[in-house]
Amino acid sequence: MRDTKRIAIYPGSFDPLTNGHMDVIERALEIFDEVIVAVLHNPSKKALFSSEERVDMIRQSVNGLKPVHVDTFGGLLVEYARMKKAVAIIRGMRAISDFENEFQMALMNRKLNKDVQSVFLMTGLRWIFTSSSIIKEAAQFGGDISDMVPKPVKLKLMAKFPKLNGQA
Ligand code: PNS
């Protein structure tokens, strides 16, 4: 038996967390001993939720899923991965449209740190069309996003977008 934990980082903006992200976290837990969901803290990138709000929503949503940790990071992802002694960076893949950007990022990350592997996990078919941006857009105009985000995220979206109220 291995005596070291295999830690994976699941990085992203998570603005906000979706059920597609939850699906990837659950799949990653089947492979790795520990998953760190790492929210990018980048004050110059415009976001709907602050990084603290995003971390809170993720913590509430993964409550009960073990062993998942939630954290923020800034700067280079591979440096954060090194600091956390992670062996892998997890990214979810929805469709071919995700590929080009992910491929470029993975190769750059490998160039910067050859000791951390990029691992791509296919999201479940149910979530293939979802993204944080499209969910925010629908929510803004009162579209029902109930089955696309965890409950703690839905409540936060309802607080931001009054048009969503009435769909509790
Ligand atoms: O959810 P996102 O916005 O697609 O996540 C992108 C993220 C946070 C994984 C990426 O922007 C990132 O890793 N940013 C940190 C800076 C870095 O290390 N970039 C990779 C070198 S190309």
Side-chain angles (χ1 to χ4, degrees):
M1 195 165 130
R2 274 183 287 112
D3 58 357
T4 48
K5 279 196 291 184
R6 295 181 75 77
I7 300 171
I9 309 280
Y10 180 30
S13 303
F14 303 108
D15 185 39
L17 180 83
T18 69
N19 282 344
H21 295 130
M22 288 296 294
D23 177 281
V24 171
I25 295 169
E26 285 169 19
R27 288 174 201 277
L29 282 172
E30 290 181 21
I31 308 174
F32 295 96
D33 300 318
E34 184 180 322
V35 174
I36 302 174
V37 183
V39 176
L40 176 67
H41 177 69
N42 179 358
S44 61
K45 195 171 165 187
K46 206 175 159 326
L48 177 64
F49 295 103
S50 69
S51 45
E52 292 78 18
E53 285 178 305
R54 285 179 265 160
V55 165
D56 269 3
M57 281 185 277
I58 301 171
R59 286 213 173 110
Q60 288 174 40
S61 306
V62 300
N63 185 20
L65 272 186
K66 285 202 171 97
V68 181
H69 298 281
V70 188
D71 194 9
T72 53
F73 79 103
L76 275 184
L77 174 60
V78 287
E79 287 308 321
Y80 177 75
R82 207 193 300 271
M83 187 181 84
K84 291 290 174 184
K85 298 188 169 36
V87 295
I89 291 168
I90 304 288
R91 294 289 287 168
M93 275 281 190
R94 286 163 305 189
I96 196 76
S97 51
D98 282 339
F99 181 79
E100 197 165 334
N101 184 40
E102 294 299 334
F103 181 66
Q104 205 176 13
M105 259 195 322
L107 291 181
M108 176 56 102
N109 285 336
R110 183 190 285 166
K111 175 98 180 103
L112 297 172
N113 179 353
K114 63 172 178 35
D115 298 326
V116 66
Q117 300 300 330
S118 291
V119 173
F120 296 95
L121 296 176
M122 292 275 292
T123 49
L125 273 182
R126 282 187 78 182
W127 313 118
I128 222 101
F129 71 97
T130 61
S131 70
S132 300
S133 332
I134 207 161
I135 286 171
K136 277 183 288 192
E137 186 165 334
Q140 183 183 357
F141 298 111
D144 185 5
I145 42 76
S146 303
D147 62 353
M148 295 175 212
V149 292
K151 183 92 181 185
V153 175
K154 186 188 173 189
L155 295 176
K156 278 283 204 178
L157 283 169
M158 284 170 74
K160 289 265 184 207
F161 300 127
K163 280 193 175 171
L164 268 185
N165 290 310
Q167 293 180 16

